[in-house]
Amino acid sequence: MVRDKITGEQREVDVLIATNASGYEVNIAIEVVARGRKADTPWVESMRSKHSSLPTDKLILVAEAGFYAPALAKAKFYGIEAVTIETALAADWKIVAELTATGFFELTSFKYTCAVIYESDGGNREQIDVPSTSSITCDSQQTTLDEFVRYVLNLTETKEALYPRITSMNERQFWFSYSRPGGLWDAEINGATVRVVELRVGLDVDHTRTPVEVSAGKYRNTPFVAGVSSSKTNELQFVLVKKPDGTTEGAVVDASGVRKLIGAREHIDEVRS
């Protein structure tokens, strides 16, 4: 039951998902109709009228038999999501709540460069730029610099250190260093085998906030959340899929083309060398 903002009376809602997302209290209301025929326009309009005076941040209409085309058009016009019962059960409403809370899709892109510090035969230390495709040995495992940088950027400690500076302080350039006693690995540089003692990574950050309209769905038994920008100056489309480990992945299409997204539970990132 929720309180009507005009009359003060308690109104019944089939399902109410109340959550705190990004510091905002968000109410997602779900109304369900189970009958043999498809839901029509009058039902969509009646639900919109009902929730216009309720503390509903996002309204989801679920019809067992689906919707007539005019009803879907009316729901879309009012920003109401109309889905089947199967889609409603599969949807990740926590991600929807996060995006509904602010109405913005935030994308952080990292462009990085790598350099290593090595010891020459004479004991001097010198720095040289290296490509992200270079192979390295980390904890006895063979990997590439690109995979290593992505791993570091996706660590919780890294995100907790970077994001307050990116979002609140508007900082856009960072660098981090990786080293350990005894050096990191041996490498061939200028025809000689040298000991790499330090890896340095420079980060250039681009952070954007785009207003979006969000919907949820299911494709081949995989729940997803999709969105499209409501801004003409920064148009984009994105799709996010929740993985079993709680992280997200997907793709975004904007002025820069199609890019793969990697994400954690709170942030969406795009990383490129």
Side-chain angles (χ1 to χ4, degrees), residues 223-255:
F224 68 86
V225 174
V228 59
S229 65
S230 54
S231 168
K232 296 299 182 183
T233 58
N234 189 19
E235 296 185 356
L236 64 78
Q237 293 179 317
F238 69 88
V239 176
L240 296 174
V241 176
K242 189 73 168 285
K243 298 167 64 178
D245 64 0
T247 61
T248 56
E249 67 178 10
V252 62
V253 182
D254 59 11

Side-chain angles (χ1 to χ4, degrees), residues 7-112:
T7 66
E9 65 181 328
Q10 295 291 327
R11 300 294 303 275
E12 184 177 349
V13 175
D14 288 333
V15 179
L16 181 68
I17 302 173
T19 184
N20 185 293
S22 303
Y24 296 86
E25 292 296 328
V26 179
N27 291 322
I28 298 179
I30 302 177
E31 299 281 10
V32 183
V33 60
R35 55 193 182 197
R37 61 187 179 86
K38 294 181 178 181
D40 54 17
T41 301
W43 185 66
V44 173
E45 292 175 333
S46 67
M47 290 298 100
R48 175 180 179 268
S49 176
K50 171 184 175 180
H51 285 269
S52 64
S53 59
L54 299 182
T56 301
D57 296 296
K58 186 172 184 63
L59 176 58
I60 313 294
L61 300 182
V62 182
E64 183 179 23
F67 293 80
Y68 286 111
L72 288 173
K74 183 60 70 80
K76 182 178 180 180
F77 178 80
Y78 286 128
I80 300 170
E81 192 164 348
V83 299
T84 63
I85 288 179
E86 181 185 26
T87 297
L89 292 175
D92 190 327
W93 297 117
K94 187 177 187 302
I95 294 181
V96 174
E98 289 281 349
L99 293 167
T100 301
T102 61
F104 287 89
F105 178 74
E106 298 195 34
L107 175 66
T108 305
S109 299
F110 295 93
K111 186 176 181 180
Y112 67 90

Side-chain angles (χ1 to χ4, degrees), residues 50-222:
K50 171 184 175 180
H51 285 269
S52 64
S53 59
L54 299 182
T56 301
D57 296 296
K58 186 172 184 63
L59 176 58
I60 313 294
L61 300 182
V62 182
E64 183 179 23
F67 293 80
Y68 286 111
L72 288 173
K74 183 60 70 80
K76 182 178 180 180
F77 178 80
Y78 286 128
I80 300 170
E81 192 164 348
V83 299
T84 63
I85 288 179
E86 181 185 26
T87 297
L89 292 175
D92 190 327
W93 297 117
K94 187 177 187 302
I95 294 181
V96 174
E98 289 281 349
L99 293 167
T100 301
T102 61
F104 287 89
F105 178 74
E106 298 195 34
L107 175 66
T108 305
S109 299
F110 295 93
K111 186 176 181 180
Y112 67 90
T113 56
C114 296
V116 295
I117 306 296
Y118 67 93
E119 286 186 349
S120 62
D121 291 337
N124 296 322
R125 294 194 171 190
E126 300 182 38
Q127 177 172 313
I128 185 173
D129 293 336
V130 291
S132 61
T133 54
S134 300
S135 296
I136 64 172
T137 301
C138 181
D139 292 332
S140 302
Q141 297 292 323
Q142 193 77 12
T143 185
T144 65
L145 279 177
D146 179 68
E147 292 171 335
F148 178 76
V149 172
R150 289 173 183 270
Y151 167 76
V152 172
L153 291 178
N154 212 31
L155 290 174
T156 300
E157 308 93 289
T158 305
K159 291 178 178 293
E160 289 178 348
L162 286 180
Y163 280 96
R165 294 182 175 275
I166 294 171
T167 58
S168 301
M169 304 178 188
N170 207 35
E171 295 184 24
R172 292 294 181 264
Q173 292 187 319
F174 304 87
W175 71 277
F176 69 84
S177 169
Y178 172 64
S179 62
R180 58 173 49 182
L184 298 177
W185 59 81
D186 292 331
E188 290 286 335
I189 297 179
N190 297 328
T193 300
V194 297
R195 188 65 174 167
V196 174
V197 295
E198 182 183 351
L199 169 66
R200 292 182 178 179
V201 179
L203 300 174
D204 285 318
V205 180
D206 180 35
H207 184 76
T208 59
R209 297 177 78 243
T210 304
V212 293
E213 298 174 355
V214 185
S215 62
K218 186 178 182 182
Y219 179 71
R220 293 183 178 177
N221 296 320
T222 301

